């Protein structure tokens, strides 16, 4: 017993130490030169990859502008601004001024340009097509998923392998995920036509899971903690579901059976709004959960810096282990959350698909039954 | 500036949406064609094979069970038969033995009786002979002794009386 307790105690200490190492880069990068911590800036999307303490890599900027139309490509924000074809504004005391020359260089040295919104010196900006941090993470997640599952697919090339028992950690682990999505999500929620939606559900699940887990890795972030990414995913769910909507489903949506005629005109918009709201909520749920985890971790680390400013470095040093322990705890929770929200998104998508596929057998009887009093009235 | 950055958390970036649509559509296509199709097909194929194998095994087990039951039945029947045959044989042997014994006994008894009768007859004849012999002997002896005193008739009467007095056996 004593030995066991000792081992457990050592494990905790080791985990804490590992947590410190793991969080090291974040700690360093979360605090800028003035000892301030900007959790939001590090959770939000950005046009640079942060490899603190080794510095940051700026990502290419691509702008689509009109008057005159053109696509401007720069290797970095810095070069876009220094070329003077794009300018940044510096807001102070309510009025904005465009930075030039020495002031611009000064702002760039203070990394202000990374948070600025460059505007074209001539014409108007139509679309900012810059490569962002979350896009890089999203593409990386997609590539990881592709690499894993194309690798898995290779295991089934030979006919004798197709019926053999799965071998090794790799095949067992990812096959288990595929079977989980098929048997626990697609089959019960979509119904007999689940095979049509299985590729979408599998892709969504694996991509979201991979992106979520990437949010736990140092220097990386979760692409799913970006609202644009989750909206895109939800939009795909929306299109995939509505594309296969049955006649009964559309009738139910725009001409709900079993209600008097005037009520139909009230119900149809409500149904439409509810349909859109469901997908909107799908996007927001994933985004908010992923983002809040990241914000929470940075805020917990931020407590140390806040206490450093308010009560001095001794208090901060005392609080630091508590902050790190809490962060470690939240990190463990985030592992669970990564799986849970990949599951929830896929499950709800499957439920929406199941709704779109509904076949209403009693539809005809109900229509005639409710038509009768309407005619009598 | 903090407020601007905070806004950026909730503000969907149109450029990112544009790229994301392309990336996700590509991901759906590539995985759907090169990963999910072979994987899902292989999984269902394997499941069907396993199901079929299980069903086949169950059938074979059922058959084996039936065959076993049949064998058991046959064995029991054969055993029963053997036991009956043995029983019959034993009973028959017992009967034969008893009969034989009875027969032997009867024969022995018969032989005994015959011997007894023979003995009886022999004894009778011997007695008869002895009587005649004794009578003759007595007469001759008596004749020699009483040649002068007795005539033949008196002589005979005396001898007969003597013989009468002899025991029958």
């Amino acid at each position: 017993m004593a030995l066991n307790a000792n081992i457990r105690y050592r494990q905790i200490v080791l985990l804490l130490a590992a947590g410190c190492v793991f969080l090291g880069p974040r700690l360093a990068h979360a605090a800028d030169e003035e000892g301030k911590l900007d959790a939001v800036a590090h959770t939000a999307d950005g046009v640079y990859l942060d490899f603190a303490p080794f510095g940051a890599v700026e990502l290419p900027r691509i702008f689509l502008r009109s008057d005159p139309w053109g696509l401007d490509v720069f290797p970095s924000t810095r070069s876009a601004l220094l070329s003077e074809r794009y300018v940044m504004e510096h807001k102070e005391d309510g009025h904005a001024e465009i930075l030039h020359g020495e002031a611009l260089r000064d702002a760039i040295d203070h990394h202000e340009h990374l948070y600025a919104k460059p505007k074209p010196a001539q014409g108007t900006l139509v679309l900012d097509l810059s490569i962002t941090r979350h896009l890089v993470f999203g593409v990386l997640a997609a590539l990881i998923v592709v690499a894993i599952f194309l690798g898995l697919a290779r295991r089934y090339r030979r006919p004798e392998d197709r019926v053999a028992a799965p071998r090794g950690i790799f095949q067992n682990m990812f096959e288990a995920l595929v079977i989980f999505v098929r048997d626990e999500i697609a089959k019960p929620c979509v119904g007999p036509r689940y095979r049509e939606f299985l590729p979408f559900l599998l892709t969504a699940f694996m991509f979201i899971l991979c992106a979520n887990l990437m949010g736990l890795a140092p220097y990386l972030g979760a692409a799913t903690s970006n609202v644009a990414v989750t909206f895109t995913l939800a939009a795909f769910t929306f299109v995939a579901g509505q594309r296969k909507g049955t006649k009964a489903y559309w009738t139910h949506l725009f001409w709900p059976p079993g209600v008097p005629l005037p009520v139909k005109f009230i119900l149809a918009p409500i149904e439409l709004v509810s349909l859109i709201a469901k997908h909107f909520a799908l996007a927001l749920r994933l985004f908010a959960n992923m983002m809040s985890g990241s914000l929470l971790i940075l805020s917990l680390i931020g407590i140390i810096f806040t206490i450093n400013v308010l009560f001095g470095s001794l208090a901060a040093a005392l609080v630091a282990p508590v902050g790190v322990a809490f962060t470690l705890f939240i990190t463990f929770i985030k592992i669970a959350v990564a799986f849970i929200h990949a599951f929830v998104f896929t499950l709800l998508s499957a439920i929406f698909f199941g709704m779109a596929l509904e076949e209403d057998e009693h539809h005809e009887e109900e229509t005639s039954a409710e038509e009768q009093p309407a005619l009598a009235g | 500036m903090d407020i601007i950055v905070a806004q950026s958390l909730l503000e969907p970036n149109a450029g990112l949406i544009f790229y994301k649509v392309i990336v996700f559509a590509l991901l759906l296509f590539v995985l759907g064609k090169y990963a999910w199709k072979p994987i899902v097909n292989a999984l269902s194929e394997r499941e069907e094979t396993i199901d079929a194998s299980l069903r086949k095994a169950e059938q074979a087990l059922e058959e084996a069970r039936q065959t076993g039951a049949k064998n058991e039945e046959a064995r029991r029947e054969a055993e029963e038969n053997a036991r009956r045959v043995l029983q019959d044989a034993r009973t028959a042997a017992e009967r034969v033995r008893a009969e034989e014994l009875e027969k032997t006994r009867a024969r022995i008894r018969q032989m005994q009786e015959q011997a007894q009768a023979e003995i009886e007859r022999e004894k009778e004849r011997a007695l008869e002979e002895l009587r005649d012999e004794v009578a003759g002997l007595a007469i001759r002896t008596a004749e020699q002794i009483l040649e002068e005193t007795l005539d033949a008739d008196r002589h005979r009467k005396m001898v007969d009386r003597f013989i009468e007095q002899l025991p029958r056996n």
Side-chain angles (χ1 to χ4, degrees), chain B residues 69-88:
Chain B
K70 225 179 272 171
N71 283 352
E72 181 68 17
E73 188 65 29
R75 195 181 63 81
R76 201 173 291 133
E77 226 163 68
E79 229 167 49
E80 189 63 37
N81 251 1
R83 206 169 44 239
R84 213 172 41 238
V85 166
L86 203 66
Q87 188 70 36
D88 282 358

Side-chain angles (χ1 to χ4, degrees), chain A residues 21-263:
Chain A
V21 171
F22 171 69
L23 290 162
R26 288 191 177 199
L27 272 170
H29 103 162
D32 57 25
E33 295 95 288
E34 297 102 58
K36 262 168 48 184
L37 178 100
D38 193 348
V40 173
H42 294 286
T43 307
D45 205 357
V47 289
Y48 59 96
L49 291 174
D50 205 335
F51 292 111
F54 312 111
V57 175
E58 288 190 31
L59 292 167
R61 301 301 303 251
I62 304 164
F63 301 103
L64 184 66
R65 67 177 152 73
S66 61
D67 313 312
W69 281 91
L71 196 67
D72 295 321
V73 182
F74 300 97
S76 66
T77 316
R78 185 192 183 87
S79 62
L81 291 173
L82 289 177
S83 74
E84 299 275 340
R85 283 161 63 197
Y86 282 80
V87 293
M88 69 177 274
E89 285 176 341
H90 184 77
K91 283 200 181 82
E92 213 166 275
D93 305 330
H95 69 91
E97 60 165 321
I98 289 169
L99 295 178
H100 287 293
E102 204 53 47
L104 181 63
R105 271 170 223 285
D106 203 42
I108 287 172
D109 283 344
H110 283 91
H111 302 304
E112 267 181 52
H113 65 298
L114 294 179
Y115 308 107
K117 285 196 167 149
K119 284 185 180 137
Q122 287 178 330
T124 42
L125 183 65
V126 177
L127 193 57
D128 183 357
L129 285 172
S130 305
I131 312 287
T132 66
R133 186 163 47 188
H134 284 155
L135 176 65
V136 173
F137 299 153
V139 170
L140 199 57
L143 287 178
I144 291 170
V145 170
V146 164
I148 287 172
F149 288 99
L150 289 190
L152 185 63
R154 276 160 45 103
R155 297 285 190 110
Y156 305 103
R157 266 188 314 193
R158 288 185 303 163
E160 62 264 36
D161 288 342
R162 245 170 268 154
V163 293
R167 300 246 176 274
I169 292 173
F170 176 76
Q171 197 181 1
N172 273 300
M173 190 160 76
F174 292 108
E175 217 183 274
L177 282 180
V178 172
I179 290 171
F180 172 77
V181 172
R182 192 193 61 184
D183 292 352
E184 306 298 324
I185 298 173
K187 265 186 201 171
C189 298
V190 180
R193 284 172 66 187
Y194 77 94
R195 284 296 278 264
E196 294 168 36
F197 292 100
L198 197 51
F200 178 86
L201 292 172
L202 282 166
T203 309
F205 182 83
M206 301 306 169
F207 173 76
I208 293 169
L209 181 61
C210 183
N212 287 354
L213 289 173
M214 271 173 64
L216 294 164
Y219 296 124
L220 295 179
T224 41
S225 67
N226 189 301
V227 73
V229 173
T230 61
F231 270 130
T232 313
L233 290 171
F236 269 95
T237 296
F238 183 82
V239 172
Q242 309 315 305
R243 205 163 57 94
K244 295 280 174 78
T246 57
K247 191 166 163 277
Y249 169 72
W250 291 114
T251 316
H252 216 93
L253 200 62
F254 291 116
W255 201 249
V259 292
L261 193 65
V263 180

Side-chain angles (χ1 to χ4, degrees), chain A residues 38 40-41 43-45 62 115 117 127-130 132 135 139 142 145-146 149-150 152-153 156 162-164 166 171 175 178-179 182 195 198-200 202-203 206-207 226-229 232-233 236 287 291, chain B residues 1-50:
Chain A
D38 193 348
V40 173
T43 307
D45 205 357
I62 304 164
Y115 308 107
K117 285 196 167 149
L127 193 57
D128 183 357
L129 285 172
S130 305
T132 66
L135 176 65
V139 170
V145 170
V146 164
F149 288 99
L150 289 190
L152 185 63
Y156 305 103
R162 245 170 268 154
V163 293
Q171 197 181 1
E175 217 183 274
V178 172
I179 290 171
R182 192 193 61 184
R195 284 296 278 264
L198 197 51
F200 178 86
L202 282 166
T203 309
M206 301 306 169
F207 173 76
N226 189 301
V227 73
V229 173
T232 313
L233 290 171
F236 269 95
F287 150 72
M291 187 208 62
Chain B
M1 193 180 104
D2 279 353
I3 296 158
I4 298 165
V5 174
Q7 264 180 349
S8 75
L9 272 183
L10 283 165
E11 180 185 23
N13 177 350
L16 185 55
I17 291 178
F18 169 76
Y19 286 121
K20 196 59 217 154
V21 168
I22 295 171
V23 168
F24 198 70
L26 269 176
L27 187 67
L28 271 175
F29 172 75
V30 169
L31 285 181
K33 187 155 184 191
Y34 300 107
W36 306 135
K37 211 166 151 189
I39 291 172
V40 170
N41 285 345
L43 287 181
S44 33
E45 197 177 313
R46 185 197 297 159
E47 268 157 23
E48 276 157 24
T49 312
I50 290 171

